[in-house]
Amino acid sequence: GADLVWSPGSQPVLLQLVNDATTSLLVENEEMALPAATSALLRAAHRGVHVTVVMTRQDDWANDFDKLAAAHVDVRTYSPTAALYIHAKAIVADEGTPKQRAFVGSENFSAASLQHNRELGLLTADPTLVATLATTIGSDAAGATPWQH
């Protein structure tokens, strides 16, 4: 049960995963509506972590995408009309290192999802799960378009 991440109340756990990353972060999310998440991703990029964010393009997040891209975050998006819609909520931190961890669940980067809704996710260091998530997010990133406002 310690690996389960329940909402309300999951924001500190997810932000800690981002804050603890030292080499890489792969992120898929449907929303970028939480300033604390954007700030954590920016801090990661500023400390030299290679950060990739894959989402479906929504103009609601354009300001956040601009900030992230300016900090050298690899923001990649799919058109809202693309065959692939990014609905996943997943984070892979430090894949391939002894510190590797991953989150997969239903929590969006939004106050509603992290602080109010009943949501559930899982933290894992299992090498097979981490590698599978990293491969999928990497493939999704390769098929997406680099962010341009």
PDB file of all heavy atoms in Angstrom, residues 13-30:
ATOM      1  N   VAL A  13       3.487  14.126  -3.277  1.00  0.00           N
ATOM      2  CA  VAL A  13       4.183  12.923  -3.753  1.00  0.00           C
ATOM      3  C   VAL A  13       4.662  13.117  -5.191  1.00  0.00           C
ATOM      4  O   VAL A  13       5.816  12.816  -5.524  1.00  0.00           O
ATOM      5  CB  VAL A  13       3.264  11.692  -3.643  1.00  0.00           C
ATOM      6  CG1 VAL A  13       3.936  10.461  -4.245  1.00  0.00           C
ATOM      7  CG2 VAL A  13       2.859  11.443  -2.204  1.00  0.00           C
ATOM      8  N   LEU A  14       3.787  13.636  -6.052  1.00  0.00           N
ATOM      9  CA  LEU A  14       4.164  13.813  -7.457  1.00  0.00           C
ATOM     10  C   LEU A  14       5.228  14.897  -7.614  1.00  0.00           C
ATOM     11  O   LEU A  14       6.177  14.737  -8.398  1.00  0.00           O
ATOM     12  CB  LEU A  14       2.943  14.129  -8.307  1.00  0.00           C
ATOM     13  CG  LEU A  14       1.908  13.020  -8.390  1.00  0.00           C
ATOM     14  CD1 LEU A  14       0.777  13.398  -9.327  1.00  0.00           C
ATOM     15  CD2 LEU A  14       2.526  11.709  -8.816  1.00  0.00           C
ATOM     16  N   LEU A  15       5.090  15.969  -6.872  1.00  0.00           N
ATOM     17  CA  LEU A  15       6.099  17.026  -6.953  1.00  0.00           C
ATOM     18  C   LEU A  15       7.438  16.543  -6.414  1.00  0.00           C
ATOM     19  O   LEU A  15       8.493  16.902  -6.945  1.00  0.00           O
ATOM     20  CB  LEU A  15       5.623  18.278  -6.219  1.00  0.00           C
ATOM     21  CG  LEU A  15       4.421  18.981  -6.845  1.00  0.00           C
ATOM     22  CD1 LEU A  15       4.067  20.224  -6.051  1.00  0.00           C
ATOM     23  CD2 LEU A  15       4.643  19.313  -8.307  1.00  0.00           C
ATOM     24  N   GLN A  16       7.416  15.701  -5.382  1.00  0.00           N
ATOM     25  CA  GLN A  16       8.668  15.165  -4.840  1.00  0.00           C
ATOM     26  C   GLN A  16       9.362  14.283  -5.873  1.00  0.00           C
ATOM     27  O   GLN A  16      10.590  14.313  -5.997  1.00  0.00           O
ATOM     28  CB  GLN A  16       8.419  14.381  -3.560  1.00  0.00           C
ATOM     29  CG  GLN A  16       9.692  14.058  -2.800  1.00  0.00           C
ATOM     30  CD  GLN A  16      10.384  15.316  -2.313  1.00  0.00           C
ATOM     31  OE1 GLN A  16       9.768  16.163  -1.677  1.00  0.00           O
ATOM     32  NE2 GLN A  16      11.657  15.457  -2.622  1.00  0.00           N
ATOM     33  N   LEU A  17       8.608  13.508  -6.625  1.00  0.00           N
ATOM     34  CA  LEU A  17       9.192  12.685  -7.683  1.00  0.00           C
ATOM     35  C   LEU A  17       9.921  13.562  -8.696  1.00  0.00           C
ATOM     36  O   LEU A  17      11.056  13.272  -9.096  1.00  0.00           O
ATOM     37  CB  LEU A  17       8.098  11.858  -8.369  1.00  0.00           C
ATOM     38  CG  LEU A  17       8.537  10.926  -9.490  1.00  0.00           C
ATOM     39  CD1 LEU A  17       9.526   9.880  -8.996  1.00  0.00           C
ATOM     40  CD2 LEU A  17       7.315  10.266 -10.124  1.00  0.00           C
ATOM     41  N   VAL A  18       9.294  14.656  -9.101  1.00  0.00           N
ATOM     42  CA  VAL A  18       9.925  15.597 -10.036  1.00  0.00           C
ATOM     43  C   VAL A  18      11.130  16.267  -9.377  1.00  0.00           C
ATOM     44  O   VAL A  18      12.207  16.370  -9.972  1.00  0.00           O
ATOM     45  CB  VAL A  18       8.900  16.641 -10.526  1.00  0.00           C
ATOM     46  CG1 VAL A  18       9.570  17.740 -11.338  1.00  0.00           C
ATOM     47  CG2 VAL A  18       7.792  15.968 -11.332  1.00  0.00           C
ATOM     48  N   ASN A  19      10.957  16.703  -8.132  1.00  0.00           N
ATOM     49  CA  ASN A  19      12.037  17.416  -7.436  1.00  0.00           C
ATOM     50  C   ASN A  19      13.255  16.541  -7.168  1.00  0.00           C
ATOM     51  O   ASN A  19      14.373  17.048  -7.079  1.00  0.00           O
ATOM     52  CB  ASN A  19      11.522  18.007  -6.125  1.00  0.00           C
ATOM     53  CG  ASN A  19      10.554  19.153  -6.350  1.00  0.00           C
ATOM     54  OD1 ASN A  19      10.596  19.832  -7.370  1.00  0.00           O
ATOM     55  ND2 ASN A  19       9.664  19.361  -5.403  1.00  0.00           N
ATOM     56  N   ASP A  20      13.053  15.236  -7.024  1.00  0.00           N
ATOM     57  CA  ASP A  20      14.163  14.330  -6.736  1.00  0.00           C
ATOM     58  C   ASP A  20      14.919  13.871  -7.979  1.00  0.00           C
ATOM     59  O   ASP A  20      15.996  13.276  -7.864  1.00  0.00           O
ATOM     60  CB  ASP A  20      13.657  13.093  -5.989  1.00  0.00           C
ATOM     61  CG  ASP A  20      13.282  13.376  -4.544  1.00  0.00           C
ATOM     62  OD1 ASP A  20      13.623  14.468  -4.026  1.00  0.00           O
ATOM     63  OD2 ASP A  20      12.628  12.507  -3.926  1.00  0.00           O
ATOM     64  N   ALA A  21      14.383  14.120  -9.159  1.00  0.00           N
ATOM     65  CA  ALA A  21      15.045  13.672 -10.391  1.00  0.00           C
ATOM     66  C   ALA A  21      16.401  14.348 -10.542  1.00  0.00           C
ATOM     67  O   ALA A  21      16.549  15.547 -10.280  1.00  0.00           O
ATOM     68  CB  ALA A  21      14.170  13.972 -11.596  1.00  0.00           C
ATOM     69  N   THR A  22      17.380  13.563 -10.981  1.00  0.00           N
ATOM     70  CA  THR A  22      18.727  14.109 -11.149  1.00  0.00           C
ATOM     71  C   THR A  22      19.240  14.029 -12.590  1.00  0.00           C
ATOM     72  O   THR A  22      20.137  14.780 -12.951  1.00  0.00           O
ATOM     73  CB  THR A  22      19.731  13.370 -10.234  1.00  0.00           C
ATOM     74  OG1 THR A  22      19.714  11.981 -10.546  1.00  0.00           O
ATOM     75  CG2 THR A  22      19.390  13.581  -8.765  1.00  0.00           C
ATOM     76  N   THR A  23      18.680  13.116 -13.409  1.00  0.00           N
ATOM     77  CA  THR A  23      19.192  12.985 -14.773  1.00  0.00           C
ATOM     78  C   THR A  23      18.120  13.192 -15.834  1.00  0.00           C
ATOM     79  O   THR A  23      18.379  13.847 -16.840  1.00  0.00           O
ATOM     80  CB  THR A  23      19.842  11.605 -15.004  1.00  0.00           C
ATOM     81  OG1 THR A  23      18.866  10.579 -14.774  1.00  0.00           O
ATOM     82  CG2 THR A  23      21.027  11.397 -14.081  1.00  0.00           C
ATOM     83  N   SER A  24      16.925  12.616 -15.621  1.00  0.00           N
ATOM     84  CA  SER A  24      15.907  12.703 -16.671  1.00  0.00           C
ATOM     85  C   SER A  24      14.506  12.616 -16.098  1.00  0.00           C
ATOM     86  O   SER A  24      14.281  12.014 -15.042  1.00  0.00           O
ATOM     87  CB  SER A  24      16.104  11.578 -17.697  1.00  0.00           C
ATOM     88  OG  SER A  24      15.916  10.312 -17.070  1.00  0.00           O
ATOM     89  N   LEU A  25      13.591  13.226 -16.809  1.00  0.00           N
ATOM     90  CA  LEU A  25      12.161  13.153 -16.518  1.00  0.00           C
ATOM     91  C   LEU A  25      11.415  12.998 -17.831  1.00  0.00           C
ATOM     92  O   LEU A  25      11.639  13.772 -18.773  1.00  0.00           O
ATOM     93  CB  LEU A  25      11.659  14.431 -15.834  1.00  0.00           C
ATOM     94  CG  LEU A  25      11.896  14.581 -14.355  1.00  0.00           C
ATOM     95  CD1 LEU A  25      11.636  16.025 -13.926  1.00  0.00           C
ATOM     96  CD2 LEU A  25      11.013  13.628 -13.564  1.00  0.00           C
ATOM     97  N   LEU A  26      10.562  12.011 -17.897  1.00  0.00           N
ATOM     98  CA  LEU A  26       9.634  11.849 -19.008  1.00  0.00           C
ATOM     99  C   LEU A  26       8.241  12.017 -18.420  1.00  0.00           C
ATOM    100  O   LEU A  26       7.906  11.359 -17.435  1.00  0.00           O
ATOM    101  CB  LEU A  26       9.761  10.456 -19.625  1.00  0.00           C
ATOM    102  CG  LEU A  26      11.085  10.120 -20.286  1.00  0.00           C
ATOM    103  CD1 LEU A  26      11.144   8.630 -20.610  1.00  0.00           C
ATOM    104  CD2 LEU A  26      11.265  10.940 -21.545  1.00  0.00           C
ATOM    105  N   VAL A  27       7.449  12.890 -19.020  1.00  0.00           N
ATOM    106  CA  VAL A  27       6.134  13.206 -18.461  1.00  0.00           C
ATOM    107  C   VAL A  27       5.082  13.147 -19.554  1.00  0.00           C
ATOM    108  O   VAL A  27       5.252  13.734 -20.627  1.00  0.00           O
ATOM    109  CB  VAL A  27       6.126  14.629 -17.841  1.00  0.00           C
ATOM    110  CG1 VAL A  27       4.747  14.999 -17.320  1.00  0.00           C
ATOM    111  CG2 VAL A  27       7.171  14.747 -16.740  1.00  0.00           C
ATOM    112  N   GLU A  28       3.993  12.432 -19.277  1.00  0.00           N
ATOM    113  CA  GLU A  28       2.782  12.517 -20.092  1.00  0.00           C
ATOM    114  C   GLU A  28       1.658  12.912 -19.153  1.00  0.00           C
ATOM    115  O   GLU A  28       1.527  12.349 -18.064  1.00  0.00           O
ATOM    116  CB  GLU A  28       2.439  11.184 -20.763  1.00  0.00           C
ATOM    117  CG  GLU A  28       3.197  10.949 -22.017  1.00  0.00           C
ATOM    118  CD  GLU A  28       2.645   9.812 -22.866  1.00  0.00           C
ATOM    119  OE1 GLU A  28       1.877   8.973 -22.376  1.00  0.00           O
ATOM    120  OE2 GLU A  28       3.005   9.778 -24.050  1.00  0.00           O
ATOM    121  N   ASN A  29       0.875  13.881 -19.585  1.00  0.00           N
ATOM    122  CA  ASN A  29      -0.248  14.326 -18.780  1.00  0.00           C
ATOM    123  C   ASN A  29      -1.271  14.955 -19.698  1.00  0.00           C
ATOM    124  O   ASN A  29      -0.932  15.429 -20.782  1.00  0.00           O
ATOM    125  CB  ASN A  29       0.220  15.311 -17.707  1.00  0.00           C
ATOM    126  CG  ASN A  29      -0.616  15.221 -16.447  1.00  0.00           C
ATOM    127  OD1 ASN A  29      -1.784  15.596 -16.455  1.00  0.00           O
ATOM    128  ND2 ASN A  29      -0.015  14.721 -15.377  1.00  0.00           N
ATOM    129  N   GLU A  30      -2.497  14.974 -19.249  1.00  0.00           N
ATOM    130  CA  GLU A  30      -3.559  15.572 -20.052  1.00  0.00           C
ATOM    131  C   GLU A  30      -3.691  17.065 -19.788  1.00  0.00           C
ATOM    132  O   GLU A  30      -4.144  17.811 -20.645  1.00  0.00           O
ATOM    133  CB  GLU A  30      -4.892  14.870 -19.760  1.00  0.00           C
ATOM    134  CG  GLU A  30      -6.019  15.362 -20.644  1.00  0.00           C
ATOM    135  CD  GLU A  30      -7.340  14.687 -20.332  1.00  0.00           C
ATOM    136  OE1 GLU A  30      -7.518  14.183 -19.208  1.00  0.00           O
ATOM    137  OE2 GLU A  30      -8.199  14.691 -21.218  1.00  0.00           O
TER     138      GLU A  30
END
